Amino acid sequence: MSELTVKSDASRAEVGRVVLRCLCFTAGLLVNSFGVALITKAALGTSPISSIPYVLDLRFAPTFGQFTFVLNMAYIAAQAALLRRDFRPVQLLQVVANVIFSAFIDVSMGLLWWLSPQGIPAEVASLALGCAVLAFGISVEVAPNVIVVPGEGIVRAISSTLGRPFGTCKLCFDITLVLIACGLSFAFFGGLNGLGVGTIASALAVGPIVNAIDRRVPLISAIRSL
């Protein structure tokens, strides 16, 4: 009887850890969304992963978050096509993550309706804050090792299919997104709109900030240990 009790307690503890990991992952997604909104509101250009949805949002009626959702669904479909039998059914949970992330982008943009930095110092400060918030969200999201988000999942699928390093594929992927967004911007507006130095700055800054947070913030280590 005591052995059954011990097993039951261990099972409940494991379920509790899984729930905590999922909650941390969700919290990371929410922080990510807010970070993307902050970067966008800095008016120096949005992040590379959000560049296409934002340019489309500036031209058409659907919202930033709605375009983000559609593009991320395309990433999930592309993963399934590239990986085929190696695409695990659990990765379909990316759809849930996509709903949360995309919806909260619109919520965050609404919450930040008042933010309109005037002048380069204010814009740079907003951009820096946005990059820091986005990096923290990424650290919290990745630490519990639940699932990947669509933007990361498609890069992993490309890396696996081509046999190339993830970092190289990530860089090429981000550059491709920005180039497509630039092409759309010129087609719609005759020049750059929604893109700028902030797009490049966030691409260069977020990764190193994530590394620094992973090394120095005890919360990240605590989440990993769940």
Side-chain angles (χ1 to χ4, degrees), residues 10-186:
S11 178
R12 283 196 294 268
E14 180 61 27
V15 170
R17 284 194 291 270
V18 170
V19 170
L20 281 175
R21 286 164 57 199
C22 290
L23 289 175
C24 289
F25 174 77
T26 303
L29 286 179
L30 298 180
V31 176
N32 278 356
S33 303
F34 195 73
V36 168
L38 272 173
I39 291 172
T40 304
K41 284 289 187 176
L44 293 174
T46 190
S47 62
I49 196 68
S50 299
S51 57
I52 294 176
Y54 188 54
V55 170
L56 291 173
D57 169 49
L58 293 175
R59 176 63 179 83
F60 299 105
T63 65
F64 187 10
Q66 289 168 345
F67 275 121
T68 298
F69 175 81
V70 171
L71 192 59
N72 280 339
M73 290 302 295
Y75 293 158
I76 296 171
Q79 290 174 57
L82 288 171
L83 297 176
R84 300 183 182 180
R85 294 180 180 178
D86 292 331
F87 183 78
R88 299 179 180 179
V90 69
Q91 290 302 331
L92 290 174
L93 289 174
Q94 290 181 54
V95 176
V96 179
N98 185 22
V99 171
I100 295 171
F101 177 71
S102 302
F104 204 71
I105 283 180
D106 283 342
V107 171
S108 298
M109 293 293 283
L111 291 173
L112 294 172
W113 63 268
W114 51 271
L115 182 60
S116 182
Q118 303 297 317
I120 296 299
E123 291 173 347
V124 170
S126 297
L127 174 64
L129 179 60
C131 288
V133 171
L134 177 58
F136 180 73
I138 291 173
S139 293
V140 173
E141 166 214 312
V142 171
N145 194 27
V146 178
I147 58 171
V148 297
V149 294
E152 180 183 344
I154 183 58
V155 176
R156 286 190 178 184
I158 293 171
S159 174
S160 174
T161 302
L162 298 180
R164 300 294 183 182
F166 177 85
T168 302
C169 291
K170 173 64 174 171
L171 177 61
C172 294
F173 185 72
D174 284 350
I175 290 173
T176 301
L177 293 182
V178 172
L179 289 176
I180 293 172
C182 286
L184 291 173
S185 182
F186 273 96

